[in-house]
Amino acid sequence: MHLAASSQTQLALSRELKRLMLQNLLNKRRLAALPRTVIDAPAVQVLCHATEYKERLLTLIAGARQRIIITALYLQADEAGEQVLRALYRAKQKNPALQVTVYVDFHRARRGLIGQEGGRTNADFYRAIAAEYREPILIQGVPVKKRELFGVLHLKGFVFDDTLFYSGASLNNIYLAEQQRYRADRYLQIDNKALADAFAAGHQQVLGDTEVVQSLLADEAQIAQAYKTNHRSWLRQARLSRYPLQHQSQSGALTASLLMGMGRLNNQLNQSILALLALAERDVLIYTPYFNPPPILAKALRKCLKRGIKVTIVVGDKTANDFYIPPGQKFSRIGGLPYLYETILRKFVKSNQSFIDAGLLDIRLWRHADNSYHLKGLSVDSRRHLFTGHNLNPRAFALDFENGILVDDELGQLQAQLQLEQMQIFANTARVEHFTQIEMVRDYPEQVRKLLGKIKGVGVDLVVKRLI
């Protein structure tokens, strides 16, 4: 009997080993199949602060000669947003042949800020500025879903002639450090024609459908319902879309791949993220602003830890969250989000405390004065680096339209720049040594406790977590 049980155990272990080997083979093939282009290390710049982001952005706009393509969640009706928009118009007036196209989320552009009902929308702002200039630019609204709650345009990145400038940041005062405060993000510039061409073509392929993607300069009454007739077929196309990057193979070369994805099925970006984690051999570094990993990601991270992989996660402190409302200011329900994220983080830390004790898991909370944190990305084995707007949360994995740039740096040619970036980020972090360092619900302000109690009490906490 004992021999039979031992034999069954060995058989089960053998099957599991074969399954893992097959999964690793599939993941290797998945990453190897990604189209990539060779880039020169001197053509890559990693910027480290929002002030540099603004300065470089305005410089690239002024210097563009053939094309400018701006893709962001939003271009805000505020001082910094106006500076960017007027810079685009000035470039167009100076050179009427210059292609200038701005893509933003359709629904976000047509509403005010959360908690501020009525008033001027971003679309109103665009129309007012456009009326002042003779040479027009294109400002297009992309309705990823019929309601903003169920998915937004989260594609990021700008093309200026043959330069690709990528960040998870949008365009407003805080992202551009216009008024004392800033929102930290990541900023990558690559001067490469093939990469810029593929990026531009990919966005034109999906976002150039004028039956769905609407001009935000048109009359509001004309655009409100116009996209709905053809939206379903456009959505199917968008989910299948890929950047048309021609593959270049060269041993030891520095390469970049462009990734795009939306939805749970056949999502190239999601699949690549999970493949990177599955193939990690030494270390993983993750930047994420909102700690709410979906089960599939939490499972992948735990597998890394069980394999002895060092995992470092840098997440914003709740006070560095976009939606944090300081004590003394008028509270609204959206202000409960940072606390909800913190409860999820505490639970994760508690369940993985043994890995922290073993030196395998390093959780760092970012906080710098009253600034906020918006970094996203992934580095594996100090070789593969993903720059993305993907928040590594349920929304990003299932609802929003996301993209990213995967850089494969086999020889470590970008290591000095990335280490400088990491050093500056880590300078504003504090390590979590034990889950008891993170506040519990009972420590929160009364309004927050009541709000979280209501959410949990009516059983909608799981639904909320899937939508944030």
Side-chain angles (χ1 to χ4, degrees), residues 75-86 89 109 119-132 139 171 216-217:
L75 193 167
Q76 190 68 36
D78 60 16
E79 290 83 357
E82 184 167 345
Q83 288 176 44
V84 171
L85 189 55
R86 289 192 183 280
Y89 272 106
R120 184 174 70 160
T121 67
N122 288 342
D124 294 331
F125 162 68
Y126 304 153
R127 287 188 284 267
I129 298 295
E132 299 180 24
I139 306 180
L171 301 163
L216 292 170
L217 301 179

Side-chain angles (χ1 to χ4, degrees), residues 29 89 91 122 193 248 293 306 399 405 408 410 425 429:
R29 286 181 175 175
Y89 272 106
N122 288 342
K193 187 177 189 306
Q248 294 180 339
K306 286 183 175 180
L399 301 177
I405 304 175
D408 189 347
E410 184 178 352
I425 294 166
T429 64

Side-chain angles (χ1 to χ4, degrees), residues 190-232:
I190 305 177
D191 299 319
N192 182 281
K193 187 177 189 306
L195 210 58
D197 284 348
F199 197 89
H203 285 207
Q204 173 60 28
Q205 171 184 301
V206 185
L207 310 181
D209 185 345
T210 55
E211 291 186 334
V212 172
V213 178
Q214 302 292 304
S215 170
L216 292 170
L217 301 179
D219 182 80
E220 186 69 21
Q222 295 178 11
I223 67 173
Q225 302 294 325
Y227 72 92
K228 293 185 177 180
T229 303
N230 301 292
H231 187 265
R232 183 171 293 182

Side-chain angles (χ1 to χ4, degrees), residues 218-277:
D219 182 80
E220 186 69 21
Q222 295 178 11
I223 67 173
Q225 302 294 325
Y227 72 92
K228 293 185 177 180
T229 303
N230 301 292
H231 187 265
R232 183 171 293 182
S233 60
W234 176 86
L235 192 58
R236 284 196 297 267
Q237 177 200 347
R239 285 176 173 150
L240 296 172
S241 294
R242 300 289 183 267
Y243 287 106
L245 186 65
Q246 296 298 311
H247 185 75
Q248 294 180 339
S249 180
Q250 185 176 323
S251 179
L254 179 67
T255 64
S257 299
L258 299 175
L259 308 176
M260 184 186 294
M262 177 170 50
R264 291 186 178 89
L265 301 178
N266 300 315
N267 186 311
Q268 183 190 50
L269 181 55
N270 289 351
Q271 290 172 345
S272 297
I273 290 169
L274 296 174
L276 288 168
L277 293 174

Side-chain angles (χ1 to χ4, degrees), residues 278-296:
L279 295 175
E281 297 178 351
R282 297 185 305 278
D283 55 78
V284 169
L285 171 61
I286 290 175
Y287 298 115
T288 180
Y290 317 117
F291 193 83
N292 182 24
I296 193 170

